[in-house]
Amino acid sequence: MKSEEIRQVFLNYFKSKNHEIVPSAPMVMKNDPTLMFTNAGMNQFKDLFLGNSPIKYNRIADTQKCLRVSGKHNDLEEVGVDTYHHTMFEMLGNWSFGDYFKEEAIDWAWDLLVNEFKINKENLYATVFEGDKKDGTNEDSEAYEQWKKYLPEDRILKCNKKDNFWEMGDTGPCGPSSEIHVDIRSDDEKKKVDGSTLVNVDHPHVIEIWNLVFIQYNRLSSGKLEPLPAKHVDTGMGFERLCMVLQNKKSNYDTDVFAPLINHVQNVSGKKFGQNEETDIAIRVMVDHIRAIAFSIADGQLPSNNKAGYVIRRILRRAVRYSYTYLDVKEPILFSMVPVLAKQMQNAFPELKAQEDLITKVIQEEESSFLKTLETGLKKFENYKEKEVKGEFAFELYDTYGFPIDLTQLIAKEKGKSVDMDAFHAEMKKQKDRSRKAAASDTGDWIEVNKGDESEFVGYNVLECEAKILKYRKVTVGKKDQFQIVLNKTPFYAESGGQVGDTGYLELGGTKIEIIDTQKENNLFIHFAKKVPGELNGNAKAVVNKNKRNHTIKNHSVTHLLHSALKKVLGDHVAQKGSLVNEHHTRFDFSHFEKVTDEQLTEIEKIVNSKIQENIAIDEQRSVPIDKAMAQGATALFGEKYGDNVRVIT
Ligand code: SER
C-alpha cells in the first residue's frame, strides 16, 4: 500500500466505528503556555479531557502533524542518526471522550493491524503498565487481561512509568498506556535473539508503532495525580513507522513518504543514498528537517530569534550544517525541496501547496544568511591557535555560529587537535541553567470557588456584567506574584487575532481589583490581577475599560482595511504573518518579497483613509458555520484553529 492509502484505511476504519474524522490541528501551538508545538494528537483535545469544553463528538479520529523538538518530548538529537525518529511526523489517532475504554481500544487496534493491514500477528508484542508506588497507581490488569485474548503471555510485557505512563508535559491529562511493538527482523535474527528482550531498548527493527493511552488523571503542578471526572482513550500511531512495516522496509526513510525527497537531494547534491553512513545521516537529516520547517512556516511560524521561531531556526541550521559538511553543498539547497514536498502532500495537507512560494523564499533567505555565518565560524576556527580546542571556544562555535559539536570535533581532528568535551558540556549546562532560570515561572493549581466549567463571553454585547468567580490560581514569574481569575461570565475580550486583551476592574464585596490583562488559555478566559478580592464568593461586577476597548476595536478594523489594501496594491500573495492591535496603534506583519515603494505606500494609505471616511456600517453575523463563512468569501488565516461556528464581519 502506498502511504496515502495507508492513511485512508486508518481513517476509514475508525469512521466505520462511528468516529468523526477531523482535520489536523496546526502544528504550531497558540493559546497554550505549556507547549510551543503540538507534540501529540491529543493536544488539541486537552480541554475535552479536562472537562473545560463541552464534548460534541465522543469519538474522533484523525492524522495530526506533530513536532517533538522541545520540552518533555524531544527527539531532535536522534533524528537522522537512527532510522525511525523524526522531528515532524504524522500521528494517526483515535479518541474516546468518556465513551469506550480499554476493551474496544485494544480490540480495534488489533483488528486493524492484523485483519485490515495484515501484519503477521506472530510479530506483535504488547506492553502494559506495571504500576508505580510513588504515584500510587496500580498495575493495569484490565489491559493485560484484554491482551490475553490475542497474545500469549510471554508477548505481553509489563513496563514501568517511563515507558507506559503517558504525559504530554509536566502537568495535564495523563494515564497508563499500552503499547504495540512490532518485530520486523529476519527469521534468522529472530531465532538468535528473542524479540521480547528487544522491546523498548531502542532496537531499530523492534519498534513501538502504536500507543494506546487510557487517560484518567490530571497531573497537578504539585506532582499529584487527580482523577478526572470521566475516563478517555487517546491513541497515537506513528504513520511513518506504520508505512515502514507495511511496505516491508527496514527504515522509515525507505518508504514512499521520504523517497521523492531523497531522490531530489541525490540529484541536487550528486551524492548517493545508501553508500556511506555519514552521507546517509546527512540526507536523512535533510529530508526529515525540511518537513518540520515547511509545515511550521505554513502554520505561520517563521524562523526567528526567540521561542518557537528559534526552534525552527535551529532545525534549519542543523540541516544546513549536515549538508554543508557531509554532502559538500555550499549553496542553499533545502528551499529547492519545498515543491517536491508540497506536491507529495497536496491531498492530505494542502497548506503547503497553497503557500509554496512563501515557504520556499523564507527558507532560501534563511539558508543564505546562515551559510555566511557558518563561513565566518570556519574562518574563526582557522585563526584559532590553541593546541586543544577549549570548552569555551567549542561552545562559542556552537552557540554563536551554530556549529554542532560533532562538526567541531571533526574539524579539530583534521587539524590534529582534540576538543575538551567536559568543559564544553559544562558550558552547555551553564547556558541551560541560565535559560531555565529566565523562563522559570511557577504556576499554582487552580483553586475552585464556585462550581462550573466554562466562562461565557458576553463582551460583544456588553462591557459590564455581573459574574461569579469560578476559580483562581497564583502564578509567580521571577519575583512577582500574579493572580489569574476565571469567571462564569465575562465581558473581557481575551487577546486573540492580534487584538490585546481588555483591562478594567472587578468589584466584589466593596473592594475593587484591577484587571491588568485578559488572555485565553485553551478555552478559558483568564483575567490577570495583582491581587484577589478578600471576599471571593458572591456576585462580582466585571467592568471593562470602555475607552481603551473602543479605540482598540477601531484599530482592529483598520488592520483588515490595511490587509485588503495591501492585497490590492501588492498582490494576492500578501498574507498576514502577525499583528498587534492596541488602543494606540496597529502593527501588521505581512509576507512580500520586495521593499514596498513610496508610491505604493501612498496608494495603500489613500485606500485605507478613503474607506475610513466612507464610514461604512459594520455587518456582523454570529455563529455562522465555518464552511458557510468560507463559501461567502471570509478571509481565514493558515495555522489558526477555528471553531465550527464563527463570527463573520463584513
Ligand atoms: N498521546 C500518546 C502519544 O503521543 C498517544 O496518542 O504517544
Side-chain angles (χ1 to χ4, degrees), residues 39-43 49 66 68 73 89 91-95 166-168 177 179 208 210-213 215 233-237:
N39 68 6
M42 54 78 76
N43 296 162
F49 292 130
C66 297
R68 290 195 169 171
H73 298 275
F89 64 99
M91 188 181 275
L92 303 169
N94 59 290
W95 285 270
W166 202 84
E167 313 196 39
M168 63 181 262
S177 73
E179 296 175 346
E208 175 200 343
W210 203 346
N211 189 11
L212 317 178
V213 185
I215 300 266
V233 170
D234 151 28
T235 88
M237 174 146 61

Side-chain angles (χ1 to χ4, degrees), residues 532-650:
V532 279
E535 164 69 43
L536 291 156
N537 268 303
N539 283 337
K541 206 161 89 180
V543 182
V544 170
N545 178 336
K546 295 189 182 75
N547 202 24
K548 179 180 158 188
R549 163 82 86 84
N550 262 325
H551 283 111
T552 307
I553 58 179
K554 285 175 185 159
N555 284 337
H556 194 160
S557 296
V558 164
T559 307
H560 294 292
L561 297 181
L562 176 59
H563 190 184
S564 163
L566 283 165
K567 279 190 172 170
K568 264 203 194 105
V569 176
L570 303 179
D572 264 340
H573 64 277
V574 169
Q576 174 169 346
K577 286 292 152 199
S579 86
L580 173 74
V581 185
N582 62 25
E583 71 272 38
H584 305 297
H585 64 263
T586 173
R587 191 202 78 214
F588 189 77
D589 309 336
F590 62 97
S591 54
H592 180 57
F593 284 90
E594 274 157 17
K595 193 170 182 301
V596 180
T597 65
D598 289 347
E599 292 73 38
Q600 287 170 327
L601 266 186
T602 310
E603 202 185 336
I604 292 163
E605 207 173 296
K606 261 197 202 143
I607 297 177
V608 174
N609 280 332
S610 80
K611 285 293 161 194
I612 293 174
Q613 281 153 11
E614 276 179 48
N615 205 17
I616 310 163
I618 250 180
D619 174 20
E620 182 200 0
Q621 292 166 276
R622 301 239 180 114
S623 287
V624 182
I626 178 93
D627 301 341
K628 200 171 151 214
M630 296 302 286
Q632 287 175 1
T635 304
L637 300 181
F638 286 111
E640 286 295 332
K641 189 174 154 201
Y642 293 93
D644 297 332
N645 294 304
V646 294
R647 177 168 170 263
V648 181
I649 300 292
T650 311

Side-chain angles (χ1 to χ4, degrees), residues 80-180:
V81 179
D82 72 22
T83 52
Y84 57 99
H85 278 99
H86 297 291
T87 52
M88 182 257 168
F89 64 99
E90 278 182 62
M91 188 181 275
L92 303 169
N94 59 290
W95 285 270
S96 150
F97 304 108
D99 185 14
Y100 64 84
F101 204 42
K102 296 181 186 177
E103 186 178 338
E104 292 88 337
I106 291 175
D107 281 349
W108 291 339
W110 182 264
D111 183 40
L112 177 60
L113 292 181
V114 172
N115 301 323
E116 300 284 323
F117 284 133
K118 311 268 184 249
I119 296 181
N120 182 351
K121 58 182 181 210
E122 301 304 321
N123 293 338
L124 294 174
Y125 292 84
T127 64
V128 299
F129 180 50
E130 67 180 13
D132 185 79
K133 274 220 184 77
K134 194 167 149 243
D135 274 343
T137 43
N138 296 329
E139 176 182 315
D140 190 351
S141 50
E142 292 149 0
Y144 194 90
E145 286 307 310
Q146 192 63 19
W147 280 121
K148 271 174 41 188
K149 269 168 63 182
Y150 303 111
L151 287 167
E153 291 194 53
D154 59 355
R155 284 199 277 133
I156 312 172
L157 312 172
K158 294 179 185 170
C159 298
N160 63 17
K161 179 170 153 182
K162 183 180 139 281
D163 287 315
N164 278 58
F165 192 88
W166 202 84
E167 313 196 39
M168 63 181 262
D170 293 335
T171 58
C174 55
S177 73
S178 185
E179 296 175 346
I180 302 168

Side-chain angles (χ1 to χ4, degrees), residues 75-343:
D75 297 329
L76 186 59
E77 293 308 320
E78 268 89 35
V79 174
V81 179
D82 72 22
T83 52
Y84 57 99
H85 278 99
H86 297 291
T87 52
M88 182 257 168
F89 64 99
E90 278 182 62
M91 188 181 275
L92 303 169
N94 59 290
W95 285 270
S96 150
F97 304 108
D99 185 14
Y100 64 84
F101 204 42
K102 296 181 186 177
E103 186 178 338
E104 292 88 337
I106 291 175
D107 281 349
W108 291 339
W110 182 264
D111 183 40
L112 177 60
L113 292 181
V114 172
N115 301 323
E116 300 284 323
F117 284 133
K118 311 268 184 249
I119 296 181
N120 182 351
K121 58 182 181 210
E122 301 304 321
N123 293 338
L124 294 174
Y125 292 84
T127 64
V128 299
F129 180 50
E130 67 180 13
D132 185 79
K133 274 220 184 77
K134 194 167 149 243
D135 274 343
T137 43
N138 296 329
E139 176 182 315
D140 190 351
S141 50
E142 292 149 0
Y144 194 90
E145 286 307 310
Q146 192 63 19
W147 280 121
K148 271 174 41 188
K149 269 168 63 182
Y150 303 111
L151 287 167
E153 291 194 53
D154 59 355
R155 284 199 277 133
I156 312 172
L157 312 172
K158 294 179 185 170
C159 298
N160 63 17
K161 179 170 153 182
K162 183 180 139 281
D163 287 315
N164 278 58
F165 192 88
W166 202 84
E167 313 196 39
M168 63 181 262
D170 293 335
T171 58
C174 55
S177 73
S178 185
E179 296 175 346
I180 302 168
H181 294 245
V182 50
D183 184 351
I184 54 169
R185 294 172 306 149
S186 67
D187 289 342
D188 269 359
E189 287 172 286
K190 283 181 197 155
K191 261 185 224 134
K192 273 189 224 136
V193 183
D194 186 70
S196 66
T197 63
L198 299 177
V199 168
N200 275 335
V201 297
D202 284 330
H203 190 288
H205 302 140
V206 182
I207 56 163
E208 175 200 343
I209 51 168
W210 203 346
N211 189 11
L212 317 178
V213 185
F214 311 118
I215 300 266
Q216 52 191 93
Y217 305 104
N218 182 20
R219 172 84 66 189
L220 301 176
S221 57
S222 62
K224 269 221 183 78
L225 291 177
E226 173 189 71
L228 290 172
K231 290 179 179 167
H232 316 280
V233 170
D234 151 28
T235 88
M237 174 146 61
F239 173 64
E240 296 76 10
R241 290 184 184 182
L242 178 66
C243 291
M244 166 175 85
V245 174
L246 299 183
Q247 295 179 356
N248 286 322
K249 304 287 185 199
K250 290 279 190 289
S251 153
N252 289 2
Y253 295 91
D254 293 336
T255 64
D256 70 335
V257 178
F258 290 97
L261 292 170
I262 291 180
N263 274 338
H264 179 83
V265 175
Q266 293 188 121
N267 290 341
V268 179
S269 69
K271 294 273 190 304
K272 278 247 153 304
F273 188 60
Q275 292 186 342
N276 163 312
E277 184 58 10
E278 261 175 6
T279 46
D280 283 2
I281 292 178
I283 294 176
R284 288 197 290 258
V285 164
M286 292 169 71
V287 301
D288 171 275
H289 288 14
I290 188 64
R291 295 169 18 115
I293 302 161
F295 275 105
S296 299
I297 298 173
D299 275 353
Q301 184 57 65
L302 270 60
S304 74
N305 256 344
N306 50 47
K307 296 197 183 148
Y310 189 54
V311 175
I312 301 307
R313 174 162 282 168
R314 280 183 33 212
I315 296 176
L316 185 138
R317 291 184 168 189
R318 188 170 186 261
V320 173
R321 278 157 356 194
Y322 272 95
S323 64
Y324 186 94
T325 314
Y326 301 109
L327 302 186
D328 210 22
V329 175
K330 312 290 186 211
E331 307 275 303
I333 172 174
L334 292 167
F335 79 98
S336 70
M337 298 160 80
V338 174
V340 181
L341 180 63
K343 180 162 172 248

